[in-house]
Amino acid sequence: MLDLLQQGFGAVFSLNIMMLMAIGVAMGIVFGAVPGLSATMAVALCLPLTFTMGPQAGLSLLVALFIGATSGGLISAILLKIPGTPSSIATVFDGGPLMEQGHGVKALGVGIVFSFLGTIFSILVLMFMAPQLAKVALSFGPHEYFAIAVFSLTLIATLSAGSMVKGLFAGALGIAVSTVGIAPVEAIRRFTFGISELNGGFSMLTVMIGMFAVAEIIKLAETGRHSVQGKAKAVSMKNIKGFGFSLKEFREQLPNAGRSGLIGLGIGILPGIGAGTSNLVSYIIAKKRAKDGDTYGKGNIGGVVASETANNAGIGGAMMPLMTLGIPGDTVTAIMLGGFLIHGIQPGPLLFISQGPLVYTIFAALIVATVMMLFMEFYGLRLFIKLLDVPKHILLPIILVLCVVGAFGLSSRLFDVWSILLFGLLGYGFVKAGMPAAPFIIGFILGPMAETNLRRGLMLSDNNFLDFFTNPIAGSFLGLALVFILWQVFSALRPKPSAINEILRTCCLLYTSPSPRDQRGS
């Protein structure tokens, strides 16, 4: 700890690194808040700039961008019901309704505070438990990953509010869309229809922009210009103290935050899954565990807490395998790996021995950037609310243009632009049909993970599927998935308490009412 204070904070508190980090956090928040941009894009664009910097300055800048962009996605997710990044998808589910109910400031405040707490929690775990946790993640193979994916897919039923059939159909459609492109293992083209651009399938960012951003724009445009051109008057900063929520509400959400932080951290450690999955999984589990779970999706701050705590806790989780094993945890840390290599530094077990001062600097930079993020977003609350003063018929076309720019920036192909329009129409169809978009997104994210690891697992076990059940970890997750499915079927088939009460009341009336013979005798 003394080395962290002396070497880490001593380096970070230099003027040039502090300025770089302040710029990095601010840029990251902008990239996170603008639909179509992302933390990956922010880090990728600034990576070449670090070539002329020293290792400490360059990596501090990348860390600041990572933290700012991950948290910044909550701004558009709450204010515009459009997730700025894939890690903020679940924030829309309750942040958007809270905004519509006039509690936008509270939703933003809750998101900012628990983003901060989730990030700090993961950094502390990174500092003290990184080597041990990374070794556990390294032991996971195809069998374990397949079982985790199957268990997560069974949770689709939880998000199928209103109609289980519609929710399951949406999830199945998401899995089907994820199969477009070259198949894993045998590399066979599937559902490409001779279009070469489809060989790589649809990008996650493209699907997300279309299903949420473009669909929301079409839905609002349907009502006509005059009905959406007014300013949003539901949000007021008058009589707002602090972050807009009470200490009692904060204490009530601590168990939810602790659970979501552990989920985000655990999923972040597993390479290749990322915060786009952790925020959805933590939201689902929070909804199942909450006493008022039926209010989730209608404006419950617990949904914002679960999503934002989990996705920001994934920051420290993703950094663990990168720093201790040299394995990037997600796309952002994959680019950050390039930042290490640019300066001739190889992350791995020897990093803590050969580059001790640099490791302490990265730890200190993570903490300082997180504090900067908290203050920038807190003092920017009023600025964020001002976005709603812009008439919607002016704001929405600007957002659409940014979405197109973000999609085109993925690969410089017009195909991605047409893709977001396609998924925008699909998302609009979901709205009209009353189908939830969340199961579709879960199916799209987890479908390839399940398929790829199923094939790899079968190859390792000579096509013996029983190995998935004899493996302790995989068998446990598959068993939990089976129990969850049976419980959902039982819950759907059993009569509701109101129906049971009505049956009992009818039976009592029949039992106590006089028979026709008694009535004639009287």
Side-chain angles (χ1 to χ4, degrees):
M1 184 60 68
L2 185 61
D3 290 335
L4 174 65
L5 293 174
Q6 290 179 344
Q7 301 179 23
F9 286 104
V12 168
F13 284 151
S14 62
L15 181 61
N16 64 322
I17 292 183
M18 287 293 287
M19 291 180 62
L20 282 172
M21 290 181 62
I23 295 171
V25 172
M27 284 183 59
I29 292 173
V30 171
F31 269 78
V34 174
L37 305 182
S38 63
T40 304
M41 196 174 295
V43 176
L45 289 175
C46 293
L47 180 63
L49 301 179
T50 64
F51 184 76
T52 58
M53 304 176 187
Q56 294 177 329
L59 292 172
S60 296
L61 173 62
L62 297 181
V63 160
L65 287 164
F66 189 11
I67 288 176
T70 303
S71 179
L74 69 90
I75 297 170
S76 57
I78 293 172
L79 295 182
L80 303 172
K81 294 180 67 177
I82 300 171
T85 62
S87 61
S88 298
I89 292 173
T91 307
V92 177
F93 302 157
D94 283 284
L98 281 168
M99 179 69 226
E100 294 173 347
Q101 296 164 16
H103 302 300
V105 176
K106 176 186 284 190
L108 284 170
V110 167
I112 292 169
V113 169
F114 285 95
S115 291
F116 170 79
L117 293 178
T119 309
I120 288 293
F121 166 72
S122 69
I123 293 170
L124 293 176
V125 176
L126 170 66
M127 291 167 56
F128 294 106
M129 300 180 63
Q132 292 77 12
L133 291 175
K135 289 177 183 177
V136 174
L138 189 63
S139 66
F140 275 39
H143 297 84
E144 289 83 1
Y145 279 114
F146 169 74
I148 292 172
V150 170
F151 175 70
S152 301
L153 285 170
T154 60
L155 300 179
I156 284 177
T158 308
L159 293 180
S160 305
S163 172
M164 185 71 69
V165 174
K166 291 181 179 179
L168 294 176
F169 175 78
L173 184 61
I175 296 174
V177 172
S178 72
T179 62
V180 174
I182 297 178
V185 183
E186 72 269 22
I188 296 175
R189 290 183 176 86
R190 302 182 302 190
F191 310 113
T192 59
F193 305 104
I195 303 174
S196 59
E197 288 86 353
L198 286 175
N199 288 340
F202 294 105
S203 165
M204 175 63 215
L205 193 60
T206 299
V207 174
M208 184 199 70
I209 293 172
M211 289 294 293
F212 289 98
V214 178
E216 183 71 15
I217 292 170
I218 295 174
K219 185 179 75 172
L220 292 174
E222 181 187 25
T223 59
R225 170 178 174 176
H226 297 289
S227 60
V228 299
Q229 67 181 359
K231 298 180 180 180
K233 299 179 181 179
V235 178
S236 173
M237 293 298 293
K238 293 181 180 179
N239 301 322
I240 297 296
K241 296 180 180 179
F243 287 92
F245 61 99
S246 66
L247 184 61
K248 179 183 177 182
E249 291 173 316
F250 174 78
R251 288 196 299 265
E252 290 174 347
Q253 292 299 326
L254 286 179
N256 180 11
R259 181 177 58 247
S260 300
L262 290 172
I263 293 171
L265 181 70
I267 292 179
I269 293 172
L270 302 175
I273 300 182
T277 302
S278 66
N279 78 107
L280 288 166
V281 173
S282 63
Y283 179 87
I284 293 169
I285 295 177
K287 181 178 179 180
K288 290 294 293 183
R289 296 295 299 273
K291 295 179 181 178
D292 55 349
D294 56 336
T295 64
Y296 275 61
K298 302 175 184 178
N300 191 315
I301 62 171
V304 178
V305 170
S307 174
E308 290 303 316
T309 306
N311 62 24
N312 284 271
I315 293 175
M319 293 291 291
M320 286 184 199
L322 172 67
M323 296 184 65
T324 59
L325 301 171
I327 301 173
D330 57 9
T331 54
V332 179
T333 50
I335 299 172
M336 292 183 68
L337 175 61
F340 279 95
L341 299 178
I342 281 177
H343 297 286
I345 301 169
Q346 177 63 53
L350 296 178
L351 179 67
F352 292 81
I353 300 173
S354 61
Q355 298 286 342
L358 178 62
V359 171
Y360 292 128
T361 301
I362 292 173
F363 288 160
L366 285 164
I367 295 173
V368 173
T370 304
V371 175
M372 285 182 173
M373 175 268 291
L374 177 68
F375 280 94
M376 285 186 183
E377 291 188 343
F378 172 66
Y379 288 105
L381 268 176
R382 288 165 175 77
L383 178 62
F384 302 149
I385 295 299
K386 288 294 182 182
L387 289 174
L388 298 174
D389 290 340
V390 180
K392 293 295 177 64
H393 70 279
I394 296 176
L395 181 62
L396 293 179
I398 295 174
I399 294 173
L400 181 60
V401 171
L402 292 174
C403 291
V404 171
V405 171
F408 185 76
L410 290 174
S411 57
S412 300
R413 301 183 306 173
L414 285 176
F415 173 78
D416 289 318
V417 176
W418 289 112
S419 295
I420 66 168
L421 297 178
L422 171 65
F423 285 104
L425 293 173
L426 179 63
Y428 178 70
F430 271 41
V431 172
K432 286 297 188 181
M435 294 174 57
F440 177 89
I441 296 296
I442 291 180
F444 182 82
I445 293 174
L446 296 178
M449 176 182 169
E451 180 189 10
T452 302
N453 288 289
L454 172 63
R455 291 171 179 262
R456 289 175 179 172
L458 290 174
M459 290 174 65
L460 290 174
S461 59
D462 294 328
N463 292 324
N464 184 7
F465 191 77
L466 290 177
D467 282 5
F468 286 92
F469 294 94
T470 56
N471 182 295
I473 298 176
S476 299
F477 275 104
L478 291 174
L480 288 173
L482 179 61
V483 169
F484 186 82
I485 292 173
L486 294 176
W487 173 253
Q488 290 294 325
V489 172
F490 173 73
S491 300
L493 294 179
R494 70 176 178 178
K496 297 181 180 179
S498 57
I500 295 175
N501 294 335
E502 185 66 26
I503 293 171
L504 292 174
R505 190 171 67 85
T506 304
C507 292
C508 290
L509 289 174
L510 291 174
Y511 179 77
T512 57
S513 61
S515 64
R517 181 181 299 176
D518 294 336
Q519 290 177 353
R520 287 195 301 269
S522 61

